[in-house]
Every structure is written in structure tokens, then in C-alpha cells.
Amino acid sequence: MLQGNSADNVSDGGPEFAEVFVIYWVGAIIVTLNTKLLGGNISFFQSICVLGYCALPLTISLIVCRIILISEQNTVLFAIRCVVVLLAFGWSTFASTAFLSESHLPKRKALAVYPVFLFYFIISWLIISHTHR
């Protein structure tokens, strides 16, 4: 049941959705707590909203990668998927750090950016690592 296999071999996407949902919310909570512990003056819901809106490039890259996965996979298509996800990762990280860095002290910006980097890296890794089964 945890792997999404049912008796009639129809995958409803339940466990996959739950995994992504939990990873996203736990990551967002960690990034928000880090911001607050570093002395940032941002509310919990402001941080969640910024992280959510800045995940749009990764969502677009997910759609592009799913379209690319329709065809027979080869090295060139994998390289295209990597470039698309890398660009979206950079865009998401840059956009969110531009918003969140304003709420930190100047000497602590690197400490605040690192969890954001890891947060979007994990989401990017989930996108690029998905292949046909």
C-alpha cells in the first residue's frame, strides 16, 4: 500500500502526493523557523507564501519534463531535462532569496539562503529523478 500498488494495479497517485506534500511542508517549516531563529522579521505565512510562489518555475519544469518523458528516452533528452530543471532551480532559489534576504541581518544572509537552496534542490531532485517505470 505504501508503494502505491493496489490489487487491480491502478495507481491513484496517493502515496506520491502525500510524499511531496509532506516534503514541501516540512521543508517550508524548516526554512521559516530558520528565518525566525536568525532574527528575521517575517511571519510564518509570509514565508510559506514566498516559498510557494517561487516554486512556480519548478512546477513549469515538472510539466516540461513530463512532456519530454512521453517520448523514448535517450541521453540528449535527459540532458534537456537536466538543463530545464537546473534553470528552474536557479530561478526559484534566486527569486525566493531576493524576497527572504530582506528580512535578515546582513551578516547572516548566507545562513538564511542555505536552507532555501536545500529546499529547492530536493524538489528539483524529485523532478529530475522521476522516470518511466
Side-chain angles (χ1 to χ4, degrees):
M1 180 166 186
L2 291 176
Q3 297 299 321
N5 294 330
S6 60
D8 55 352
N9 290 331
V10 177
S11 178
D12 62 353
E16 292 86 5
F17 174 78
E19 291 168 359
V20 172
F21 189 80
V22 168
I23 288 171
Y24 188 84
W25 276 99
V26 168
I29 289 169
I30 290 171
V31 168
T32 304
L33 285 175
N34 182 56
T35 301
K36 296 299 276 181
L37 291 174
L38 289 174
N41 53 357
I42 189 170
S43 75
F44 175 75
F45 293 110
Q46 286 175 325
S47 177
I48 297 295
C49 287
V50 166
L51 293 172
Y53 286 127
C54 292
L56 178 66
L58 289 171
T59 306
I60 294 169
S61 73
L62 173 64
I63 294 168
V64 170
C65 288
R66 294 296 292 187
I67 291 170
I68 291 173
L69 280 172
I70 292 172
S71 64
E72 187 66 32
Q73 291 301 297
N74 57 32
T75 307
V76 173
L77 291 178
F78 181 74
I80 291 171
R81 287 176 47 212
C82 286
V83 168
V84 167
V85 172
L86 184 64
L87 289 173
F89 167 72
W91 184 4
S92 293
T93 304
F94 176 75
S96 63
T97 55
F99 286 115
L100 294 177
S101 67
E102 295 301 321
S103 69
H104 295 8
L105 299 172
K107 294 180 181 180
R108 296 184 177 175
K109 285 187 180 183
L111 290 174
V113 170
Y114 183 69
V116 174
F117 174 85
L118 286 178
F119 175 70
Y120 288 124
F121 179 78
I122 291 170
I123 295 172
S124 299
W125 183 258
L126 289 173
I127 293 170
I128 198 67
S129 66
H130 179 76
T131 59
H132 289 296
R133 291 182 186 188

